[in-house]
mmCIF file of all heavy atoms in Angstrom:
data_model
loop_
_atom_site.group_PDB
_atom_site.id
_atom_site.type_symbol
_atom_site.label_atom_id
_atom_site.label_comp_id
_atom_site.label_asym_id
_atom_site.label_seq_id
_atom_site.Cartn_x
_atom_site.Cartn_y
_atom_site.Cartn_z
ATOM 1 N N GLY A 505 -4.313 15.118 -16.479
ATOM 2 C CA GLY A 505 -5.526 14.941 -17.286
ATOM 3 C C GLY A 505 -6.770 14.877 -16.416
ATOM 4 O O GLY A 505 -7.764 14.225 -16.768
ATOM 5 N N THR A 507 -9.090 16.875 -15.775
ATOM 6 C CA THR A 507 -10.347 17.404 -16.330
ATOM 7 C C THR A 507 -10.832 16.547 -17.492
ATOM 8 O O THR A 507 -11.859 16.859 -18.095
ATOM 9 C CB THR A 507 -10.157 18.856 -16.817
ATOM 10 O OG1 THR A 507 -9.136 18.852 -17.824
ATOM 11 C CG2 THR A 507 -9.744 19.780 -15.686
ATOM 12 N N GLY A 508 -10.090 15.492 -17.808
ATOM 13 C CA GLY A 508 -10.424 14.667 -18.964
ATOM 14 C C GLY A 508 -11.187 13.409 -18.575
ATOM 15 O O GLY A 508 -11.569 13.216 -17.406
ATOM 16 N N THR A 509 -11.375 12.547 -19.554
ATOM 17 C CA THR A 509 -12.253 11.378 -19.383
ATOM 18 C C THR A 509 -11.753 10.442 -18.288
ATOM 19 O O THR A 509 -12.461 10.194 -17.311
ATOM 20 C CB THR A 509 -12.351 10.603 -20.723
ATOM 21 O OG1 THR A 509 -12.833 11.504 -21.714
ATOM 22 C CG2 THR A 509 -13.288 9.417 -20.606
ATOM 23 N N THR A 510 -10.556 9.897 -18.458
ATOM 24 C CA THR A 510 -10.126 8.895 -17.464
ATOM 25 C C THR A 510 -9.582 9.555 -16.205
ATOM 26 O O THR A 510 -9.827 9.069 -15.095
ATOM 27 C CB THR A 510 -9.073 7.928 -18.040
ATOM 28 O OG1 THR A 510 -7.904 8.670 -18.409
ATOM 29 C CG2 THR A 510 -9.618 7.172 -19.246
ATOM 30 N N THR A 529 -4.238 20.473 -14.065
ATOM 31 C CA THR A 529 -4.926 21.074 -15.204
ATOM 32 C C THR A 529 -4.227 22.388 -15.540
ATOM 33 O O THR A 529 -3.569 22.987 -14.684
ATOM 34 C CB THR A 529 -6.422 21.327 -14.895
ATOM 35 O OG1 THR A 529 -6.978 22.179 -15.903
ATOM 36 C CG2 THR A 529 -6.642 21.961 -13.532
ATOM 37 N N ARG A 530 -4.404 22.839 -16.794
ATOM 38 C CA ARG A 530 -3.856 24.158 -17.147
ATOM 39 C C ARG A 530 -4.736 25.275 -16.622
ATOM 40 O O ARG A 530 -4.299 26.420 -16.565
ATOM 41 C CB ARG A 530 -3.713 24.266 -18.672
ATOM 42 C CG ARG A 530 -2.608 23.381 -19.229
ATOM 43 C CD ARG A 530 -2.709 23.247 -20.722
ATOM 44 N NE ARG A 530 -3.927 22.528 -21.085
ATOM 45 C CZ ARG A 530 -4.330 22.325 -22.322
ATOM 46 N NH1 ARG A 530 -3.615 22.781 -23.330
ATOM 47 N NH2 ARG A 530 -5.441 21.659 -22.570
ATOM 48 N N ASP A 541 1.307 22.495 -16.742
ATOM 49 C CA ASP A 541 1.230 22.498 -18.213
ATOM 50 C C ASP A 541 2.502 21.833 -18.715
ATOM 51 O O ASP A 541 3.612 22.274 -18.390
ATOM 52 C CB ASP A 541 1.143 23.956 -18.705
ATOM 53 C CG ASP A 541 0.959 24.047 -20.220
ATOM 54 O OD1 ASP A 541 1.249 23.058 -20.929
ATOM 55 O OD2 ASP A 541 0.549 25.127 -20.677
ATOM 56 N N TYR A 542 2.351 20.762 -19.500
ATOM 57 C CA TYR A 542 3.533 20.061 -20.012
ATOM 58 C C TYR A 542 4.429 20.974 -20.826
ATOM 59 O O TYR A 542 5.635 20.753 -20.913
ATOM 60 C CB TYR A 542 3.115 18.867 -20.870
ATOM 61 C CG TYR A 542 2.363 17.808 -20.113
ATOM 62 C CD1 TYR A 542 1.061 17.463 -20.461
ATOM 63 C CD2 TYR A 542 2.951 17.146 -19.041
ATOM 64 C CE1 TYR A 542 0.371 16.486 -19.767
ATOM 65 C CE2 TYR A 542 2.265 16.173 -18.336
ATOM 66 C CZ TYR A 542 0.975 15.851 -18.711
ATOM 67 O OH TYR A 542 0.300 14.881 -18.021
ATOM 68 N N LEU A 588 -1.261 6.163 -19.138
ATOM 69 C CA LEU A 588 -2.299 5.838 -20.125
ATOM 70 C C LEU A 588 -1.694 5.899 -21.513
ATOM 71 O O LEU A 588 -1.274 6.958 -21.980
ATOM 72 C CB LEU A 588 -3.457 6.826 -20.026
ATOM 73 C CG LEU A 588 -4.625 6.531 -20.965
ATOM 74 C CD1 LEU A 588 -5.322 5.231 -20.586
ATOM 75 C CD2 LEU A 588 -5.630 7.676 -20.962
ATOM 76 N N HIS A 606 3.338 7.507 -28.166
ATOM 77 C CA HIS A 606 3.033 6.637 -27.018
ATOM 78 C C HIS A 606 4.181 5.649 -26.801
ATOM 79 O O HIS A 606 4.544 5.355 -25.668
ATOM 80 C CB HIS A 606 1.746 5.853 -27.267
ATOM 81 C CG HIS A 606 0.488 6.580 -26.865
ATOM 82 N ND1 HIS A 606 0.386 7.338 -25.717
ATOM 83 C CD2 HIS A 606 -0.740 6.631 -27.448
ATOM 84 C CE1 HIS A 606 -0.854 7.824 -25.621
ATOM 85 N NE2 HIS A 606 -1.544 7.431 -26.655
ATOM 86 N N PRO A 625 -5.551 0.904 -23.492
ATOM 87 C CA PRO A 625 -6.948 0.583 -23.776
ATOM 88 C C PRO A 625 -7.276 0.562 -25.254
ATOM 89 O O PRO A 625 -6.628 1.215 -26.063
ATOM 90 C CB PRO A 625 -7.732 1.693 -23.071
ATOM 91 C CG PRO A 625 -6.769 2.789 -22.849
ATOM 92 C CD PRO A 625 -5.378 2.223 -22.877
ATOM 93 N N SER A 626 -8.342 -0.162 -25.562
ATOM 94 C CA SER A 626 -8.971 -0.117 -26.870
ATOM 95 C C SER A 626 -9.848 1.141 -26.932
ATOM 96 O O SER A 626 -9.757 2.018 -26.063
ATOM 97 C CB SER A 626 -9.794 -1.395 -27.060
ATOM 98 O OG SER A 626 -10.218 -1.505 -28.395
ATOM 99 N N PHE A 628 -12.626 3.877 -26.489
ATOM 100 C CA PHE A 628 -13.482 4.184 -25.334
ATOM 101 C C PHE A 628 -14.962 4.195 -25.743
ATOM 102 O O PHE A 628 -15.326 4.798 -26.787
ATOM 103 C CB PHE A 628 -13.162 5.574 -24.770
ATOM 104 C CG PHE A 628 -11.808 5.714 -24.131
ATOM 105 C CD1 PHE A 628 -11.342 6.975 -23.777
ATOM 106 C CD2 PHE A 628 -11.007 4.613 -23.850
ATOM 107 C CE1 PHE A 628 -10.101 7.135 -23.179
ATOM 108 C CE2 PHE A 628 -9.754 4.763 -23.256
ATOM 109 C CZ PHE A 628 -9.302 6.034 -22.916
ATOM 110 N N ASN A 631 -16.507 7.586 -26.655
ATOM 111 C CA ASN A 631 -16.433 8.205 -27.987
ATOM 112 C C ASN A 631 -17.830 8.317 -28.602
ATOM 113 O O ASN A 631 -18.056 9.139 -29.494
ATOM 114 C CB ASN A 631 -15.531 7.379 -28.923
ATOM 115 C CG ASN A 631 -14.073 7.362 -28.462
ATOM 116 O OD1 ASN A 631 -13.664 8.193 -27.653
ATOM 117 N ND2 ASN A 631 -13.306 6.416 -28.952
HETATM 118 N N1 NAP B 1834 -10.567 7.944 -26.838
HETATM 119 C C1 NAP B 1834 -10.168 6.687 -27.073
HETATM 120 O O1 NAP B 1834 -10.904 5.871 -27.642
HETATM 121 C C2 NAP B 1834 -8.793 6.259 -26.598
HETATM 122 C C3 NAP B 1834 -8.469 4.904 -26.698
HETATM 123 C C4 NAP B 1834 -7.204 4.487 -26.268
HETATM 124 C C5 NAP B 1834 -6.301 5.410 -25.759
HETATM 125 N N2 NAP B 1834 -6.647 6.730 -25.695
HETATM 126 C C6 NAP B 1834 -5.632 7.681 -25.169
HETATM 127 O O2 NAP B 1834 -6.190 8.351 -24.067
HETATM 128 C C7 NAP B 1834 -5.518 9.614 -23.927
HETATM 129 C C8 NAP B 1834 -6.553 10.658 -23.583
HETATM 130 O O3 NAP B 1834 -7.047 10.366 -22.291
HETATM 131 P P1 NAP B 1834 -8.421 10.912 -21.746
HETATM 132 O O4 NAP B 1834 -9.479 10.598 -22.765
HETATM 133 O O5 NAP B 1834 -8.574 10.416 -20.355
HETATM 134 O O6 NAP B 1834 -8.148 12.484 -21.719
HETATM 135 P P2 NAP B 1834 -8.963 13.636 -22.442
HETATM 136 O O7 NAP B 1834 -10.409 13.538 -22.062
HETATM 137 O O8 NAP B 1834 -8.577 13.649 -23.889
HETATM 138 O O9 NAP B 1834 -8.377 14.924 -21.733
HETATM 139 C C9 NAP B 1834 -7.100 15.414 -22.019
HETATM 140 C C10 NAP B 1834 -6.508 15.971 -20.740
HETATM 141 O O10 NAP B 1834 -5.183 16.410 -21.034
HETATM 142 C C11 NAP B 1834 -4.964 17.658 -20.396
HETATM 143 N N3 NAP B 1834 -3.969 18.402 -21.158
HETATM 144 C C12 NAP B 1834 -4.016 18.709 -22.482
HETATM 145 N N4 NAP B 1834 -2.920 19.421 -22.811
HETATM 146 C C13 NAP B 1834 -2.178 19.573 -21.674
HETATM 147 C C14 NAP B 1834 -0.957 20.229 -21.367
HETATM 148 N N5 NAP B 1834 -0.256 20.897 -22.305
HETATM 149 N N6 NAP B 1834 -0.493 20.166 -20.088
HETATM 150 C C15 NAP B 1834 -1.203 19.514 -19.132
HETATM 151 N N7 NAP B 1834 -2.373 18.876 -19.364
HETATM 152 C C16 NAP B 1834 -2.849 18.908 -20.621
HETATM 153 C C17 NAP B 1834 -6.326 18.338 -20.360
HETATM 154 O O11 NAP B 1834 -6.361 19.175 -19.214
HETATM 155 P P3 NAP B 1834 -6.638 20.767 -19.229
HETATM 156 O O12 NAP B 1834 -7.237 21.113 -20.574
HETATM 157 O O13 NAP B 1834 -7.609 20.959 -18.093
HETATM 158 O O14 NAP B 1834 -5.318 21.377 -18.967
HETATM 159 C C18 NAP B 1834 -7.275 17.151 -20.186
HETATM 160 O O15 NAP B 1834 -7.537 16.900 -18.812
HETATM 161 C C19 NAP B 1834 -4.755 9.864 -25.237
HETATM 162 O O16 NAP B 1834 -3.381 9.714 -24.990
HETATM 163 C C20 NAP B 1834 -5.278 8.768 -26.166
HETATM 164 O O17 NAP B 1834 -4.286 8.335 -27.073
HETATM 165 C C21 NAP B 1834 -7.869 7.173 -26.090
#
Side-chain angles (χ1 to χ4, degrees):
T507 60
T509 303
T510 62
T529 167
R530 290 166 294 176
D541 184 341
Y542 297 119
L588 183 66
H606 273 320
S626 191
F628 293 170
N631 295 343

